[in-house]
Amino acid sequence: MTLGTAPSLPDLGQCVGKTDPAEILVTGWFPNHGGTHVVTAHWPRIHRFYTLTPEAHGPHLFTESVRQALALLTHTAFDVPVSYRLGWERFVSTVAPDALRTRADTAAVRLVVSYGPAARRRSGTTRLDASVTATLGKTLLGSAQVRYTAYPPAIYDRLRGRYADAGRACARALPVPLPVEPSLTGRRRSSDVVLAAGDEPRTWNLRVDTGHPVLFDHPHDHVPGMLLLEACGQAAVSAAWPHRTTPVAFDTTFSHYVELDRPCRIVTEDTAPADQDRHHVRVTGSQDGRQAFSATVALQPVTTPLTAGSTTAGP
């Protein structure tokens, strides 16, 4: 393959794990000079979940773009079969707050991805480290560093045991509890809140709705990482209330899968600020008394008023 030429594209939905074509953000990829890759993507003017207000997207529109870009490259540039399952271990990201403003039309986003040496094991498991920079024209949107592993089906099924079957795992999911007030989380619709009330101040229970059209576009055998990152952001915003904030940076470690059939407790605490303009909150999620994930979330003050009513699409 000649560097700079666009290879033939596989089924994008299959590569990025989306069955709804409207949820596929990536549009293509090609190798770049110096061993990097370029993935192209589009950001819709309004996304039914990742747009928080008519004026601003949330940070996880960028996160989902990164997730899809890495999934696409894993199955194309690294020739990892689409039957392999990808699992995040570390996700560190920063977005430029001004880059989250909505625009009059769709935005053509360019993600430049570089990888460290891939660690391939005899079992077929492959561990990857990626650095991503996203731009819109000459404007920097955000950057991310991600460590993740691609598991062959047999290894993944052995790892997951009785939870390996996604359909059965979803069928065992806990009943969906009532959400906390959406405005506390920076959300506008109850259906998009992933936190339920906890038993102590600054604690919540994870709220998992397996019927959510974006977070559960298809069945999962565990709580997906995008939902956990959303929970970290919502918990941090709630912890900072009544100050209105939006998350702009995440440093997240995933230690264990979060299962659908057992409660997950989320706790927050303030951390020492790294600068004067941002508030930092430590978020931890535990299941069965064991920490499953943790994140330090940086919050930026929101100065624009929250628009009444909803103009975003979807339920």
Side-chain angles (χ1 to χ4, degrees), residues 269-275 278-282 296-299:
E269 61 180 342
D270 294 330
T271 64
D275 54 64
R278 293 182 176 179
H279 183 66
H280 292 73
V281 177
R282 177 76 170 172
T296 298
V297 183
L299 301 169

Side-chain angles (χ1 to χ4, degrees), residues 10-17 70-87 120-128 148-156:
D11 183 307
L12 286 177
Q14 189 177 27
C15 274
V16 304
L70 297 186
L72 177 61
L73 291 175
T74 301
H75 300 309
T76 52
F78 288 91
D79 294 320
V80 172
V82 293
S83 60
Y84 278 42
R85 303 295 297 274
L86 308 185
R120 298 181 185 266
R121 298 175 180 172
R122 292 179 61 184
S123 64
T125 298
T126 301
R127 176 171 289 182
L128 298 160
Y148 65 103
T149 299
Y151 298 96
I155 299 295
Y156 186 82

Side-chain angles (χ1 to χ4, degrees), residues 114-161:
S114 61
Y115 279 92
R120 298 181 185 266
R121 298 175 180 172
R122 292 179 61 184
S123 64
T125 298
T126 301
R127 176 171 289 182
L128 298 160
D129 286 276
S131 296
V132 185
T133 301
T135 55
L136 175 61
K138 295 183 179 180
T139 302
L140 175 67
L141 299 177
S143 61
Q145 295 78 46
V146 188
R147 180 180 303 138
Y148 65 103
T149 299
Y151 298 96
I155 299 295
Y156 186 82
D157 289 351
R158 189 183 313 154
L159 175 68
R160 297 294 293 137

Side-chain angles (χ1 to χ4, degrees), residues 16-163:
V16 304
K18 285 293 180 183
T19 59
D20 182 353
E23 294 303 319
I24 301 173
L25 302 178
V26 296
T27 57
W29 78 280
F30 56 89
N32 197 24
H33 296 292
T36 62
H37 307 272
V38 173
V39 176
T40 54
H42 77 278
W43 282 10
R45 185 181 69 84
I46 296 292
H47 187 277
R48 59 179 171 176
F49 179 66
Y50 295 119
T51 302
L52 302 183
T53 73
E55 296 80 23
H57 299 302
H60 294 317
L61 183 61
F62 167 72
T63 305
E64 176 64 11
S65 302
V66 170
R67 187 197 70 77
Q68 292 190 20
L70 297 186
L72 177 61
L73 291 175
T74 301
H75 300 309
T76 52
F78 288 91
D79 294 320
V80 172
V82 293
S83 60
Y84 278 42
R85 303 295 297 274
L86 308 185
W88 283 352
E89 298 168 18
R90 184 88 185 278
F91 185 90
V92 180
S93 68
T94 301
V95 295
D98 289 344
L100 298 177
R101 291 189 306 236
T102 56
R103 292 167 172 80
D105 203 350
T106 58
V109 176
R110 173 184 171 100
L111 299 102
V112 178
V113 185
S114 61
Y115 279 92
R120 298 181 185 266
R121 298 175 180 172
R122 292 179 61 184
S123 64
T125 298
T126 301
R127 176 171 289 182
L128 298 160
D129 286 276
S131 296
V132 185
T133 301
T135 55
L136 175 61
K138 295 183 179 180
T139 302
L140 175 67
L141 299 177
S143 61
Q145 295 78 46
V146 188
R147 180 180 303 138
Y148 65 103
T149 299
Y151 298 96
I155 299 295
Y156 186 82
D157 289 351
R158 189 183 313 154
L159 175 68
R160 297 294 293 137
R162 71 186 186 96
Y163 291 106

